[in-house]
């Protein structure tokens, strides 16, 4: 029997080890007080799973209560237990730039990825890099899209060299341009050494989920960041259409049509059934991951984030699927469950994906680098004052379809564009013209463009000035913004 406090403490740790229980390091007893001090490693750092579904509309999550046809019971369960951000947006509505914003907490014009097919600036602090410094492993499965796009520039569609992985230097099974190295039922990704990992006769979402299951069932002696980057429900580029799992699209014929799509031509009439089926497959995958976490006794110490890089407006607002300031393009699902987030909350603040990296770093107890411009969302969960003081406005940078900037608030979206800019070479402009202006309270489906309407001139002037401030804060020169002259 232990004869004093010190022997009791040490004996307890030894007993735990003999019983096969993972014990924390022995507690230190101070000579001055005889009290046990908590060892720095006693509190386990949470694991983090960042699950990204490409081009997933926010209103296709059932928990957002806007879609009567979507089937997302696992995402709904996440929202019921954790925190649902009902008004999350992307700060750049296209794949690569949005991902660069999400992983750095910087604007796309600062990350080096203001346009698709551009490499992320290797000098920037990233979510993966900062977590690895703090003792985490950083692991990726699936789509990357942040490395040089050609072999001549040191990259290509497949294998990604370590220097272009933004800190994901442990498990790596992915492809830079996943949509070109794979198809829905066959394809190739590459491991950290460039060896091929192939699949055939299995739906792509399920294949990536299999690789995630293999990772999660392995023993882990360090906390981990796992980035599961699915392509679905993104359309298959070379087929120029969405492709659901076999038999799924048939179950979604004549399903609910989002009201922002109904008034406009586009391809939603033919593409929605497959899109629904792809979203359902993502939800099933999320359910598998959550089940594995429970089975491996990881759920209580794992932060699970579900997010997308942008939405999908089915060619209703331009000639493709995103790259516009409309809700169909910029609004994204964002659900977080796990330690610190399990409050069964719905938060309605306007939050950009710029804020995801500082949020996860703070949740992991890791210092946020001062160069990061995003802000942690954690105070919104518990502090009414923080919610009251939240800016509720976000800058949206738009490239490729046009060189444009927009501000999204709870009440308005106001967008300016440079019609003379070269979308391939011009990162920004110093002279914009008012282009789109919507009342988000009175016209949430963005049917009536208020730009150039004199009765809204005062509000447009206010938004113009606020937009200029956000542009400057993003590191760009203050532009001239000319008023719209014609009703649209």
């Amino acid at each position: 029997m232990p004869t004093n406090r010190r022997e009791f403490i040490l004996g307890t740790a030894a007993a735990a080890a003999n019983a096969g229980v993972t014990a924390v390091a022995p507690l230190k007893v101070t000579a001055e007080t005889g009290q046990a001090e908590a060892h720095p490693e006693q509190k386990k750092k949470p694991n983090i799973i960042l699950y990204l579904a490409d081009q997933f509309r926010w209103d296709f999550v059932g928990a957002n209560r806007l879609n009567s046809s979507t089937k997302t019971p696992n995402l709904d369960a996440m929202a019921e237990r954790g925190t649902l951000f009902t008004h999350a947006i992307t700060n750049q509505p296209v794949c690569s730039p949005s991902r660069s914003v999400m992983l750095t907490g910087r604007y796309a014009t600062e990350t080096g990825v203001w346009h698709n097919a551009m490499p992320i600036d290797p000098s920037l602090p990233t979510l993966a890099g900062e977590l690895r410094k703090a003792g985490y492993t950083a692991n990726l499965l699936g789509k990357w899209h942040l490395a040089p796009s050609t072999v001549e520039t040191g990259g290509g569609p497949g294998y990604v060299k370590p220097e272009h992985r933004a800190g994901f230097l442990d498990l790596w099974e992915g492809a830079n341009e996943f949509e070109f190295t794979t198809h829905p039922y066959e394809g190739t990704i590459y491991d950290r050494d460039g060896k091929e990992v192939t699949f055939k006769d299995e739906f792509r979402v399920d294949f990536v989920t299999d690789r995630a299951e293999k990772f999660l069932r392995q023993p882990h002696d360090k906390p981990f960041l796992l980035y599961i980057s699915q392509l679905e429900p993104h359309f298959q580029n070379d087929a120029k259409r969405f492709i659901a799992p076999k038999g799924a699209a048939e179950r979604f014929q004549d399903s609910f049509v989002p009201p922002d799509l109904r008034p406009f031509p586009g391809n939603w009439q033919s593409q929605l059934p497959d899109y629904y089926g792809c979203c359902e497959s993502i939800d099933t995958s999320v359910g598998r991951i959550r089940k594995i976490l429970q089975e491996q006794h990881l759920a209580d110490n794992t932060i699970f984030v579900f997010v997308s890089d942008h939405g999908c407006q089915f060619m209703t607002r331009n000639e493709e699927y995103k790259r516009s300031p409309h809700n169909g393009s910029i609004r994204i699902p964002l659900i977080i469950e796990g330690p610190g987030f399990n409050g069964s909350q719905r938060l309605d603040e306007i939050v950009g994906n710029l804020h995801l990296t500082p949020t996860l770093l703070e949740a992991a107890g890791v210092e946020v680098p001062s160069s990061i411009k995003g802000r942690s969302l954690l105070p919104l969960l518990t502090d009414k004052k923080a919610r009251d003081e939240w800016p509720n406005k976000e800058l949206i940078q738009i490239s490729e379809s046009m060189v444009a900037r927009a501000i999204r608030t709870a009440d308005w979206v106001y967008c300016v564009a440079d019609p003379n800019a070269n979308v391939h070479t011009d990162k920004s402009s110093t002279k914009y013209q008012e282009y789109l202006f919507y009342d988000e309270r009175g016209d949430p489906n963005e049917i009536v463009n208020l730009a150039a309407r004199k009765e809204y001139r005062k509000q447009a002037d206010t938004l113009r000035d606020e937009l200029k401030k956000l542009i400057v804060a993003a590191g760009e020169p203050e532009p001239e913004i000319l008023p719209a002259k014609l009703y649209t």
Side-chain angles (χ1 to χ4, degrees):
M1 293 291 290
T3 58
N4 56 44
R5 184 178 180 86
R6 177 179 177 82
E7 289 185 10
F8 174 78
I9 293 168
L10 296 178
T12 301
N18 291 333
V21 177
T22 301
V24 300
L27 301 182
K28 177 182 177 182
V29 180
T30 62
E32 294 82 3
T33 65
Q35 298 296 311
E37 290 182 346
H39 189 281
E41 296 178 357
Q42 183 176 7
K43 184 177 180 181
K44 292 176 63 178
K45 289 186 177 296
N47 305 307
I48 298 172
I49 295 178
L50 179 59
Y51 192 116
L52 188 146
D54 197 328
Q55 205 163 298
F56 198 116
R57 284 177 61 108
W58 95 101
D59 55 347
F60 275 60
V61 173
N64 277 319
R65 305 169 185 167
L66 292 166
N67 190 313
S68 58
S69 295
T70 194
K71 291 181 172 61
T72 58
N74 297 295
L75 291 171
D76 299 346
M78 279 186 66
E80 179 66 26
R81 181 183 184 213
T83 300
L84 172 65
F85 294 88
T86 63
H87 285 71
I89 69 164
T90 175
N91 295 96
Q92 227 285 16
V94 66
C95 296
S96 299
S98 177
R99 291 158 189 263
S100 76
V101 171
M102 180 184 71
L103 295 174
T104 65
R106 301 287 291 270
Y107 290 100
T109 48
E110 300 176 304
T111 66
V113 193
W114 59 271
H115 194 292
N116 268 341
M118 303 179 83
I120 194 167
D121 183 346
S123 71
L124 292 178
T126 65
L127 176 64
E130 296 306 302
L131 287 175
R132 285 190 97 245
K133 291 178 186 177
Y136 279 70
T137 64
N139 313 276
L140 173 134
L141 296 168
K143 177 175 175 174
W144 181 234
H145 218 183
L146 289 171
S149 61
T150 64
V151 174
E152 293 75 21
T153 56
Y159 175 64
V160 176
K161 297 177 180 178
E163 59 265 31
H164 297 307
R165 297 179 193 167
F168 287 95
L169 297 177
D170 297 290
L171 173 70
W172 178 278
E173 292 183 348
N176 187 37
E177 295 177 340
F178 198 33
E179 52 267 69
F180 296 118
T181 69
T182 67
H183 287 82
Y185 278 92
E186 59 85 22
T188 301
I189 58 176
Y190 302 83
D191 72 10
R192 57 183 292 169
D193 300 317
K195 296 178 182 176
E196 294 186 355
V197 181
T198 62
F199 69 100
K200 190 173 179 61
D201 299 326
E202 181 181 24
F203 194 60
R204 181 165 42 202
V205 171
D206 300 328
F207 165 70
V208 174
T209 310
D210 289 345
R211 308 308 293 183
E213 177 172 357
K214 179 180 178 182
F215 172 84
L216 292 171
R217 293 198 185 280
Q218 295 173 350
H220 298 277
D221 58 0
K222 293 181 179 181
F224 60 78
L225 165 65
L226 175 61
Y227 179 22
I228 303 172
S229 181
Q230 298 276 15
L231 181 63
E232 273 67 25
H234 190 285
F235 61 96
Q236 181 63 39
N237 292 59
D238 53 1
K240 297 182 180 179
R241 58 179 289 256
F242 300 90
I243 303 177
K246 294 173 182 176
E250 290 76 3
R251 292 186 286 103
F252 289 102
Q253 296 295 325
D254 301 318
S255 291
F256 176 81
V257 179
D260 65 306
L261 303 180
R262 294 173 199 165
F264 300 103
N267 66 3
W268 56 267
Q269 298 89 341
S270 63
Q271 297 302 307
L272 271 177
D274 277 277
Y275 187 84
Y276 270 106
C278 289
C279 291
E280 183 185 45
S281 74
I282 291 292
D283 182 79
T284 301
S285 169
V286 167
R288 281 185 60 191
I289 299 299
R290 295 179 79 238
K291 185 173 184 289
I292 296 162
L293 291 175
Q294 291 286 349
E295 292 172 352
Q296 297 300 114
H297 307 290
L298 295 169
D300 290 341
N301 195 46
T302 298
I303 296 170
F304 192 163
V305 181
F306 179 79
V307 70
S308 185
D309 47 358
H310 50 76
C312 184
Q313 40 86 355
F314 293 91
M315 298 187 176
T316 55
R317 307 292 184 155
N318 55 25
E319 294 181 346
E320 39 89 74
Y321 295 96
K322 52 248 182 185
R323 301 180 180 93
S324 84
H326 301 88
N327 284 325
S329 294
I330 67 170
R331 287 189 65 175
I332 57 175
L334 178 57
I335 308 170
I336 310 179
E337 73 168 334
F341 295 93
N342 287 341
S344 299
Q345 293 191 80
R346 298 171 64 90
L347 295 180
D348 297 331
E349 284 73 21
I350 304 293
V351 297
N353 63 347
L354 180 81
H355 307 301
L356 196 53
T357 279
T359 300
L360 295 177
L361 290 178
E362 182 177 335
V366 177
E367 184 176 356
V368 178
S370 59
S371 61
I372 285 180
K373 291 187 175 177
R375 299 169 56 183
S376 172
L377 302 175
L378 278 173
L380 300 180
L381 279 64
T382 57
D383 188 345
K384 182 180 183 303
K385 182 179 179 183
R387 292 193 290 272
D388 291 341
E389 294 177 351
W390 187 257
N392 257 334
K393 55 188 176 184
E394 293 288 343
L395 172 67
I396 302 156
Q397 298 177 321
I398 301 171
S399 63
E400 298 189 15
S401 64
M402 55 185 170
V403 177
R405 299 293 181 265
I407 180 173
R408 177 64 157 86
T409 73
D411 297 323
W412 311 97
V413 64
Y414 170 87
C415 178
V416 300
D418 181 353
N420 300 311
N422 185 319
V423 296
H424 303 292
T425 59
D426 292 341
K427 180 166 66 173
S428 62
S429 177
T430 57
K431 190 173 185 177
Y432 295 101
Q433 186 165 357
E434 291 177 338
Y435 171 48
L436 296 171
F437 182 22
Y438 294 110
D439 176 357
E440 294 296 331
R441 301 284 190 187
D443 181 23
N445 299 314
E446 300 170 331
I447 307 300
V448 180
N449 182 11
L450 302 176
R453 294 181 180 268
K454 61 183 180 181
E455 61 268 36
Y456 289 92
R457 184 68 261 160
K458 182 177 179 181
Q459 186 59 54
D461 288 345
T462 299
L463 290 166
R464 176 199 62 207
D465 294 343
E466 291 182 356
L467 176 58
K468 285 184 178 182
K469 291 176 184 177
L470 291 177
I471 289 173
V472 171
E476 301 182 69
E478 180 176 328
E480 180 183 6
I481 297 178
L482 303 176
K485 295 181 179 179
L486 299 173
Y487 291 138
T488 59

